[in-house]
């Protein structure tokens, strides 16, 4: 009956419900068949209540397979807020986790949840195998291979900064991981243009890698990725400018030895574009789940 009442209730009643159910839900526990049935047969408009319940049940305990199954099926059937899956992330298959990455990193709505999402992926252990969920190397590859439009590129850059700049040292990607990931990506069949941004950020954070990164930039120059796009002079010019800016950021002159074959780019033309992308992304803030977001209190995992 609780879900039915909640679904029809106004905003204030829903907020009171969120605050008052904690002890009762924890006392009932995730093995309750009635509770599992309520999740499985969730009343329309009660999805946020279910998300709150799942969050409470998994604060200190790993979810049971039965709970994971109900939450997964509810998300698939109703396209529920992707943040409601955070409590069960470490029980999902790797393929499912990879499919979720764009929903977090390319969206303003979910931007505040990205650090928690990354920590779950990188530091969590799968509930069945106790193995790492996703390695730093795998995550970097997946992020760079995302297909993103201009606005989404801005969100992606912001979220790459969480890993690459990492001023709080929450992730601490090692030099070897960064170097191998970049070297792998420059050989992708479809060149990931955002890699130029990553190279600059890694060069700033890891100055000792400058020589290595400059060598990789030479390889990129020999590949000439700006020539791989057919019939779009604007796109080719944009890629060349990003290459030029990256070269200058590394203190290299490689861009002077591999000039654009057909276009004469002006210096720093792409800088305002990159800034604009990030500014546009920053203007959109995460929208909490309806009423209260049960994930806002998600416990930060230790490194």
């Amino acid at each position: 009956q609780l879900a039915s009442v909640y679904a029809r209730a106004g905003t204030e009643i829903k907020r009171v419900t969120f605050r008052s159910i904690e002890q009762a839900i924890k006392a009932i526990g995730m093995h309750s068949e009635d509770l599992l049935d309520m999740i499985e047969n969730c009343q329309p408009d009660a999805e946020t209540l279910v998300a709150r319940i799942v969050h409470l049940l998994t604060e200190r305990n790993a979810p049971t397979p039965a709970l994971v199954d109900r939450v997964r099926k509810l998300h698939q059937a109703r396209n529920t807020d992707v943040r409601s899956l955070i409590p069960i992330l470490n029980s999902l298959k790797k393929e499912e986790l990879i499919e979720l990455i764009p929903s977090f990193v390319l969206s303003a709505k979910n931007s505040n949840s990205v650090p928690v999402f990354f920590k779950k992926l990188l530091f969590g252990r799968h509930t069945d195998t106790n193995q790492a969920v996703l390695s730093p190397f795998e995550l970097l590859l997946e992020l760079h291979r995302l297909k993103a439009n201009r606005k989404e590129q801005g969100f992606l850059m912001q979220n790459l900064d969480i890993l690459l700049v990492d001023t709080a040292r929450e992730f601490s990607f090692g030099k070897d991981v960064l170097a191998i990931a970049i070297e792998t990506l420059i050989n992708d069949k479809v060149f990931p243009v955002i890699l130029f941004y990553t190279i600059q950020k890694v060069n700033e954070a890891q100055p000792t890698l400058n020589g290595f990164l400059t060598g990789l930039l030479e390889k990129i120059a020999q590949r000439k990725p700006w020539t791989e796009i057919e019939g779009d002079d604007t796109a080719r010019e944009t890629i060349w400018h990003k290459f030029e800016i990256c070269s200058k950021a590394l203190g290299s002159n490689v861009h002077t030895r591999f000039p654009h074959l057909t276009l004469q780019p002006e210096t720093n033309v792409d800088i305002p574009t990159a800034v604009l992308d990030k500014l546009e992304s920053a203007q959109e803030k995460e929208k909490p789940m309806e009423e209260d977001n049960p994930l806002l209190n998600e416990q930060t995992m230790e490194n």
Side-chain angles (χ1 to χ4, degrees):
Q1 296 297 323
L2 175 62
S4 179
V5 172
Y6 177 90
R8 299 193 303 269
T11 300
E12 190 56 36
I13 296 299
K14 288 182 177 179
R15 286 178 177 167
V16 171
T17 303
F18 263 57
R19 291 193 295 266
S20 62
I21 63 173
E22 180 173 354
Q23 290 185 353
I25 293 300
K26 289 183 177 180
I28 293 171
M30 66 181 78
H31 295 283
S32 167
E33 288 297 329
D34 290 336
L35 198 59
L36 292 172
D37 286 343
M38 188 198 77
I39 295 172
E40 184 173 10
N41 302 299
C42 176
Q43 288 278 336
D45 299 322
E47 292 85 0
T48 52
L49 175 64
V50 167
R52 173 65 173 166
I53 290 172
V54 174
H55 170 71
L56 292 172
L57 291 173
T58 57
E59 269 189 318
R60 291 180 174 81
N61 299 289
T64 62
L67 181 62
V68 172
D69 182 60
R70 266 53 167 209
V71 175
R72 178 197 280 118
K73 287 181 177 177
L74 179 61
H75 176 70
Q76 292 171 344
R78 305 273 184 87
N79 192 28
T80 55
D81 192 308
V82 71
R83 290 169 291 179
S84 66
L85 297 177
I86 287 180
I88 68 164
L89 285 179
N90 291 355
S91 298
L92 299 180
K93 298 177 182 178
K94 179 181 288 190
E95 295 77 14
E96 292 177 302
L97 294 172
I98 290 173
E99 288 179 2
L100 290 175
I101 291 175
S103 298
F104 280 95
V105 304
L106 301 182
S107 166
K109 174 184 175 183
N110 302 323
S111 59
N112 288 346
S113 298
V114 171
V116 173
F117 178 64
F118 282 166
K119 288 175 184 177
K120 287 278 191 178
L121 295 183
L122 295 172
F123 306 133
R125 294 280 173 174
H126 197 279
T127 52
D128 292 336
T129 65
N130 199 36
Q131 299 296 312
V133 178
L134 207 65
S135 72
F137 173 75
E138 290 173 315
L139 179 57
L140 285 172
L141 295 191
E142 293 299 333
L143 290 172
H144 285 81
R145 289 168 177 168
L146 292 175
K147 295 181 179 179
N149 59 35
R150 176 176 165 177
K151 178 183 282 189
E152 291 170 340
Q153 286 273 341
F155 300 138
L156 182 54
M157 286 190 288
Q158 289 178 3
N159 291 319
L160 278 170
D161 283 351
I162 295 173
L163 302 174
L164 302 177
V165 179
D166 192 22
T167 53
R169 294 190 174 278
E170 293 182 284
F171 299 96
S172 299
F173 279 16
K175 295 178 184 178
D176 290 346
V177 170
L178 295 168
I180 295 172
I182 294 173
E183 190 167 26
T184 299
L185 288 163
I186 67 172
N187 294 313
D188 274 12
K189 183 176 181 180
V190 177
F191 184 82
V193 180
I194 199 165
L195 189 59
F196 289 127
Y197 179 81
T198 296
I199 290 172
Q200 292 176 68
K201 287 297 180 179
V202 171
N203 185 63
E204 293 170 8
Q206 305 281 357
T208 57
L209 287 178
N210 179 267
F212 174 78
L213 295 173
T214 301
L216 292 184
L217 201 61
E218 291 270 2
K219 292 182 179 180
I220 295 173
Q222 292 169 10
R223 174 175 173 171
K224 300 178 183 176
W226 52 87
T227 66
E228 296 174 4
I229 300 179
E230 297 181 0
D232 191 339
D233 287 345
T234 301
R236 285 197 293 266
E237 187 172 7
T238 297
I239 295 174
W240 195 93
H241 284 317
K242 290 180 183 293
F243 161 71
E244 178 189 34
I245 292 167
C246 184
S247 175
K248 290 179 179 179
L250 267 60
S252 168
N253 66 352
V254 64
H255 60 283
T256 64
R257 292 183 280 111
F258 290 86
H260 197 292
L261 297 180
T262 59
L263 300 171
Q264 296 299 321
E266 297 178 8
T267 303
N268 294 337
V269 169
D270 194 50
I271 292 179
T273 302
V275 172
L276 179 61
D277 289 346
K278 296 191 76 173
L279 286 176
E280 286 180 349
S281 303
Q283 288 173 355
E284 296 193 35
K285 297 182 179 179
E286 174 169 11
K287 300 175 182 178
M289 292 171 63
E290 182 183 350
E291 316 311 337
D292 290 282
N293 183 350
L295 306 181
L296 292 180
N297 295 322
E298 181 74 18
Q299 296 296 314
T300 300
M301 300 181 64
E302 298 293 335
N303 287 4

